Structure formats: structure tokens, C-alpha cells
């Protein structure tokens, strides 16, 4: 086996400084966006919600709730991916009932977070969206 240069050798020791740790964290976010279709969808939905919030001129407290809802979904997707990766690493191609439970519960957490975000979004954006809906329905 040929020796690898330091740049291509996998790191097995602790990070030596903040920038190294930051680089690994950004790499993790990038991996999540590249590997997980649902995360890309959540990220796109978050951008749409944020643009719509800017367009309608949300107030400070509304922005707080929208931000909490968006980051709740994104963090749930992070945790879901972590659980799936660890389970896959441990069980490989084998089937274990508890592995299925872990993955299903992690996916359920994402679904619960999305439900929370939808409720928050409906409460926050209803006064802005309802007049448009009424106008469309009364034509």
C-alpha cells in the first residue's frame, strides 16, 4: 500500500484548531445536501418561506417563529441522517428489527417537525394568504 500525503489521509485524531473543526462541520453540511434528497427539499422550502416572509414584511416576532420552525425541520433532518448513517454502519446489509425502529422513529421526528412548521407557517402567513385565496375563490 502506497503512503498517502497528509491532505488525503483520513483524519483520526482530534481537530487541532477552530478552522479545522469549522471545515469539517461545513463538509458535513455539504454532504447532507449532496446525499439527502429530502434535505435539499427542506432547504428549498426554507428559502421559499424566507423569501415570502420578506415579500409580505413579517414583523420581528413572526420572524422568530418562522426561524424556529425552519431550523426545527432542518435539525430533525440532521438527526435523522445521523441515525440512519450509524444504523447502516453497524448493521450493514443485515436486517434487525431495532434498526428499523431507530430509522422509523428518526424519520417520524422529521415528520413531526414538518407538522410543527406547517402549523407555524399557517398561523403566521394566514393573514397574508387568505385574502388572495378569497379573491381567487370569488371570481
Amino acid at each position: 500500500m502506497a503512503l498517502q500525503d497528509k491532505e488525503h489521509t483520513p483524519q483520526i485524531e482530534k481537530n487541532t484548531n477552530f478552522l479545522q473543526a469549522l471545515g469539517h462541520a461545513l463538509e458535513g453540511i455539504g454532504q447532507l445536501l449532496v446525499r439527502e434528497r429530502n434535505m435539499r427539499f427542506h432547504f428549498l422550502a426554507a428559502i421559499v418561506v424566507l423569501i415570502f416572509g420578506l415579500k409580505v414584511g413579517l414583523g420581528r416576532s413572526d420572524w422568530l417563529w418562522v426561524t424556529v420552525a425552519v431550523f426545527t425541520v432542518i435539525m430533525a433532518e440532521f438527526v435523522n441522517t445521523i441515525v440512519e448513517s450509524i444504523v447502516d454502519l453497524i448493521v450493514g446489509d443485515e436486517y434487525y428489527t431495532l434498526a428499523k425502529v431507530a430509522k422509523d422513529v428518526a424519520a417520524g421526528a422529521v415528520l413531526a417537525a414538518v407538522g410543527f412548521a406547517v402549523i407555524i407557517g399557517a398561523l403566521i402567513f394566514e393573514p397574508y394568504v387568505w385574502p388572495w385565496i378569497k379573491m381567487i375563490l370569488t371570481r
Side-chain angles (χ1 to χ4, degrees), residues 26-115:
L26 292 173
E27 185 178 338
I29 293 170
Q31 287 293 319
L32 189 62
L33 288 169
V34 168
R35 293 175 182 245
E36 297 296 326
R37 179 191 69 242
N38 289 342
M39 184 59 163
R40 290 190 299 272
F41 174 77
H42 294 312
F43 190 72
L44 179 62
I47 290 171
V48 169
V49 166
L50 295 175
I51 290 171
F52 189 66
L54 289 171
K55 181 172 175 40
V56 299
L58 291 181
R60 185 181 193 129
S61 62
D62 288 343
W63 272 119
L64 174 65
W65 282 104
V66 168
T67 304
V68 167
V70 164
F71 277 98
T72 299
V73 172
I74 289 173
M75 292 309 298
E77 193 64 53
F78 270 83
V79 171
N80 181 50
T81 301
I82 292 166
V83 169
E84 288 180 350
S85 297
I86 291 172
V87 168
D88 290 347
L89 177 66
I90 293 170
V91 303
D93 293 336
E94 304 278 328
Y95 177 85
Y96 293 94
T97 303
L98 287 177
K100 180 183 181 340
V101 169
K103 286 180 153 189
D104 290 351
V105 170
V110 176
L111 186 60
V114 168

